[in-house]
Each structure stands twice: as C-alpha cells, then as structure tokens.
Amino acid sequence: MFSKGLTFLPLLATTTTALYKPLPLIQAVGETTNVTILSSGINRTYLICIPPKYDGQTLTPVIFSFHGGSRNASQQQELSQFSNPDFNDFAISIYPQGIGETWQGAGNPDNGAHDVRFTNDMINQLESLYAIDPARIWASGKSDGGGFTNRLACDQALSQRIAAFAPVSGAFYVDDVAIPCDPDTVAISCDPGRPKIPILEFHGYKDHTIDYFGNKSRKGACVPSIPHWAQEWAARDGLSIANATTELPATNDTLIYTFGLGEDTGLVTQVTDLNLGHDWPSLVDVGDAQTADFDATPIIMEFFKKHSLA
Ligand SMILES: *[C@@H]1O[C@H](CO)[C@@H](O)[C@H](O)[C@H]1NC(C)=O
Ligand SMILES: *[C@@H]1O[C@H](CO)[C@@H](O)[C@H](O)[C@H]1NC(C)=O
Ligand SMILES: *[C@@H]1O[C@H](CO)[C@@H](O)[C@H](O)[C@H]1NC(C)=O
Ligand SMILES: *[C@@H]1O[C@H](CO)[C@@H](O)[C@H](O)[C@H]1NC(C)=O
Ligand SMILES: *[C@@H]1O[C@H](CO)[C@@H](O)[C@H](O)[C@H]1NC(C)=O
Ligand SMILES: *[C@@H]1O[C@H](CO)[C@@H](O)[C@H](O)[C@H]1NC(C)=O
C-alpha cells in the first residue's frame, strides 16, 4: 500500500553526498597540487591537498591554512600538518600564497592585496570543482596568517562562509586607532555576520615577535595583548570574559583558558604554552625554532569537527 509517511521518509535523512565530481586531471588523492586562480585581476596561487578519504561524492570539509609573514605556502603545509593523514584524512587542505609573503591587514591595510576577496574566490572555485560541504569550511594560520584568519572571522560575509577559526601565534593588528596604544584596552573593530563565532588560539608566553602582552606600536599598528583579544571575542560571542583555567593533559607548561558555559563551553578557547616562543606547537620539528610538549594540529582538528554552519 502507498504510504505518504514512508514516501517522505528519505527527505528526513541528512544529505551527506553530492553529485559525483571527478578530480581535475592532474590531481590525485593523497597528492598536493599548485593551482592558479585569477582574483581581483591578479593571478594568485594556492596548494591543494586531496585527503585519502576523498571520493568525489561524500561532502568534504575544507581547511584553509595561511602562512606567516616572509613564509610561503609550502612551508605552511609542512608547519601546520593539515595534510598529514595521522591528523587529517578526510578534509581538503588549502595553503594559499600571500602577495609579498604577507596578508591584507598585516600592518599594511592598503597593500593592494584583496585577500578577503581572494578567500571568497577560492571558496567559490572549490565549491564548483569538488564535493565540498559548505557548512564545514574552517580557517587556521600562523602569525600574519593567524591575524588574517581573525580578519576573516571579523568579516560580515566570510564569517558566514567559514564555520570556525584557529589562529596560531596570531598577529592581530589593529590599524584604525592612534598609536602608541594600550594593548590591554585597545578597541578592536570586528564585525562578524553571525553570532557565536568559534575561536581557538594558541600562543607562546615567550613569543617576542608577536608578544603575548601585545605591542604599543608595530608596523604602524597596535597589537592587542592575547588575554584582551580573547576576552573581546568572548564578549562579542555573548560569553562572560572570565575563563576556566585548566592544564593541557600530558604537558606541565601549557594552560587552557576556556570561555563559555553549558553548550557554549569552549566556544572561545585560548591555549598558552608558558615555555614557547613564536612557534606552531609541535612535538617534532616542522620548521619553526622550537618544539613543544604537544601538537596543536590534532586539537585544532577536534575543535573544527565540533563546529559547522547551521
Ligand atoms: C605555484 O605556481 C606559481 C606560478 O607558476 C609559482 O610562482 C609558485 O611559486 C608555485 N607555488 C608553489 C608552492 O610551488
Ligand atoms: C594569468 O595567467 C594566465 C595563464 O598563464 C595568463 O594567460 C594571464 O595573462 C595571466 N593574467 C594576469 C592578469 O597576469
Ligand atoms: C618556500 O620557502 C622555502 C624555504 O625558504 C623554499 O625552499 C621554497 O623554494 C619556497 N617555495 C616557493 C614555492 O617559493
Ligand atoms: C614592538 O614592535 C617593534 C617593531 O617591530 C619592536 O621593535 C618591539 O620590540 C616590539 N615590542 C614588543 C614588546 O614586542
Ligand atoms: C584567564 O583568567 C586568568 C585568571 O583571571 C587570567 O590570569 C588569564 O589572563 C585569563 N586568560 C585569558 C586568555 O583571558
Ligand atoms: C615537565 O617539566 C619538566 C621540568 O621542567 C621537564 O623536564 C619535563 O620534560 C616536562 N614533562 C612534560 C611531559 O612536559
């Protein structure tokens, strides 16, 4: 017998697959390719790594990983390890190349690099060529690239396309205030297009490039202290600016500052390694000056997996 209820049942299932999209000819699962894209009239490039689990049909998340100042996309792939199947075997990882090896907003607001637009153009291209899950696009980056990750979180449009943000050793330049500034109280302009933006940051307490306590004047801009910056995100997300402080298991020098209660616990999280400098926390040498007692990347992956767009 025909049953209306049964007929509609399949519609209740969550869509997890897309129309089959074969990989572009020169690309293969497990491999990294250098892609060129015209953005704002300029040929830009990014590295794309196709994860082992990619089948062209299962809706696949995307991770952007932005390099630090004076670094490049290949170095960021090595540093952040998002293409390492031990850490990530399911999400496409993208390592964009900045113009002049830096990013829009890194103390150079008008350098002609329309990197927010570039990011939007990359997302459009990825969504057209691959089986992408538009609700699970995530962003990370080191130093200037961490600052740029924050800029995307603060952008009306990109904050609605990217689900979660994880800057490391972030350089959160504020360029619309008088300098010298007070890094503990500076007003941070930020205008996300949705409430409750998930933010996870890692910073070395002994970072003297992007000092933990901020910088009154660097590259013509103000750099907020890390606690002030994190607390401003907590406030923006509607959370208390007081945090719960715990130790990261298996380390004896790393603190986790967790903001938010109930289902919002950890919506804003800041991790401070008391012995680390301006480095991506990693147990092994991945190209920074110093190693740490833990790997940041699997913690970032767990955070990303918890957050998708509604
Ligand atoms: C990608 O290709 C561009 C243009 O050919 C080149 O300038 C750039 O160095 C390449 N990037 C990498 C990471 O190989
Ligand atoms: C971008 O690269 C393409 C292919 O190499 C080339 O034909 C085109 O002229 C370049 N465009 C710009 C604006 O450099
Ligand atoms: C990236 O930087 C490394 C280290 O300086 C260098 O060996 C490599 O050639 C650079 N890659 C590109 C594509 O510029
Ligand atoms: C602030 O930045 C300037 C310019 O880069 C640098 O000389 C100074 O050492 C920095 N101060 C701190 C506290 O990091
Ligand atoms: C978390 O709270 C402690 C105690 O008040 C404070 O010392 C620390 O700076 C706070 N951390 C952040 C990231 O706000
Ligand atoms: C804990 O601290 C001691 C002394 O500072 C150090 O030797 C040891 O390696 C640390 N252990 C871990 C797991 O971090």
Side-chain angles (χ1 to χ4, degrees), residues 109 173-179 186-190 220-222:
Y173 291 102
V174 177
D175 53 28
D176 57 357
V177 296
I179 49 171
V186 61
I188 303 173
S189 34
C190 182
C222 173

Side-chain angles (χ1 to χ4, degrees), residues 172-190 213-217 220-233 236:
F172 306 118
Y173 291 102
V174 177
D175 53 28
D176 57 357
V177 296
I179 49 171
C181 67
D182 180 348
D184 289 326
T185 57
V186 61
I188 303 173
S189 34
C190 182
F213 298 99
N215 195 315
K216 288 183 284 200
S217 173
C222 173
V223 186
S225 75
I226 294 305
H228 173 54
W229 173 84
Q231 288 163 27
E232 287 291 289
W233 264 116
R236 210 173 282 129

Side-chain angles (χ1 to χ4, degrees), residues 34 45-47 65-80 94-103 141-142 144-145 286-288:
N34 183 2
T45 61
Y46 62 84
L47 297 179
S65 182
F66 297 95
H67 65 74
S70 310
R71 295 268 185 107
N72 64 43
S74 320
Q75 288 170 306
Q76 184 61 19
Q77 182 173 30
E78 169 73 8
L79 186 69
S80 61
I94 302 289
Y95 307 90
Q97 181 62 50
I99 293 175
E101 304 197 321
T102 189
W103 301 102
K142 158 105 193 278
D144 279 2
V286 284
D288 268 348

Side-chain angles (χ1 to χ4, degrees), residues 221-258:
C222 173
V223 186
S225 75
I226 294 305
H228 173 54
W229 173 84
Q231 288 163 27
E232 287 291 289
W233 264 116
R236 210 173 282 129
D237 278 359
L239 313 176
S240 163
I241 62 165
N243 70 79
T245 306
T246 53
E247 242 183 68
L248 184 66
T251 69
N252 54 19
D253 62 358
T254 300
L255 299 172
I256 309 175
Y257 299 117
T258 303

Side-chain angles (χ1 to χ4, degrees), residues 6-291:
L6 275 180
T7 307
F8 284 100
L9 201 57
L11 292 179
L12 296 174
T14 313
T15 308
T16 54
T17 57
L19 210 60
Y20 177 65
K21 290 181 182 171
L23 281 173
L25 276 182
I26 56 162
Q27 296 184 18
V29 164
E31 286 182 13
T32 300
T33 310
N34 183 2
V35 171
T36 300
I37 178 175
L38 190 65
S39 179
S40 302
I42 301 169
N43 276 328
R44 305 293 302 265
T45 61
Y46 62 84
L47 297 179
I48 177 169
C49 179
I50 309 297
K53 286 193 172 160
Y54 188 77
D55 62 8
Q57 195 156 22
T58 307
L59 287 182
T60 301
V62 174
I63 299 165
F64 283 98
S65 182
F66 297 95
H67 65 74
S70 310
R71 295 268 185 107
N72 64 43
S74 320
Q75 288 170 306
Q76 184 61 19
Q77 182 173 30
E78 169 73 8
L79 186 69
S80 61
Q81 296 279 312
F82 286 115
S83 311
N84 178 346
D86 290 345
F87 294 155
N88 164 42
D89 62 0
F90 68 103
I92 288 179
S93 48
I94 302 289
Y95 307 90
Q97 181 62 50
I99 293 175
E101 304 197 321
T102 189
W103 301 102
Q104 182 182 355
N108 52 354
D110 298 315
N111 72 345
H114 304 290
D115 290 322
V116 174
R117 168 85 180 273
F118 172 40
T119 306
N120 202 58
D121 291 345
M122 285 187 284
I123 295 175
N124 289 342
Q125 184 172 72
L126 292 165
E127 287 183 355
S128 76
L129 294 179
Y130 307 89
I132 300 298
D133 183 350
R136 290 184 298 160
I137 296 173
W138 302 309
S140 184
K142 158 105 193 278
S143 194
D144 279 2
F148 183 63
T149 300
N150 182 66
R151 190 184 181 99
L152 295 173
C154 287
D155 186 83
Q156 270 285 323
L158 273 297
S159 61
Q160 297 184 64
R161 298 196 82 176
I162 300 174
F165 303 85
V168 175
S169 314
F172 306 118
Y173 291 102
V174 177
D175 53 28
D176 57 357
V177 296
I179 49 171
C181 67
D182 180 348
D184 289 326
T185 57
V186 61
I188 303 173
S189 34
C190 182
D191 190 20
R194 65 183 165 104
K196 296 198 176 184
I197 304 286
I199 300 281
L200 167 64
E201 204 257 357
F202 293 81
H203 219 98
Y205 197 71
K206 294 184 177 165
D207 188 333
H208 300 307
T209 302
I210 301 303
D211 203 282
Y212 192 82
F213 298 99
N215 195 315
K216 288 183 284 200
S217 173
R218 184 178 158 84
K219 294 188 181 174
C222 173
V223 186
S225 75
I226 294 305
H228 173 54
W229 173 84
Q231 288 163 27
E232 287 291 289
W233 264 116
R236 210 173 282 129
D237 278 359
L239 313 176
S240 163
I241 62 165
N243 70 79
T245 306
T246 53
E247 242 183 68
L248 184 66
T251 69
N252 54 19
D253 62 358
T254 300
L255 299 172
I256 309 175
Y257 299 117
T258 303
F259 297 87
L261 298 172
E263 65 175 18
D264 290 337
T265 302
L267 185 65
V268 174
T269 301
Q270 201 287 317
V271 180
T272 297
D273 183 324
L274 297 172
N275 285 313
L276 202 62
H278 192 59
D279 307 291
W280 188 284
S282 172
L283 286 165
V284 298
D285 182 1
V286 284
D288 268 348
Q290 204 185 331
T291 57

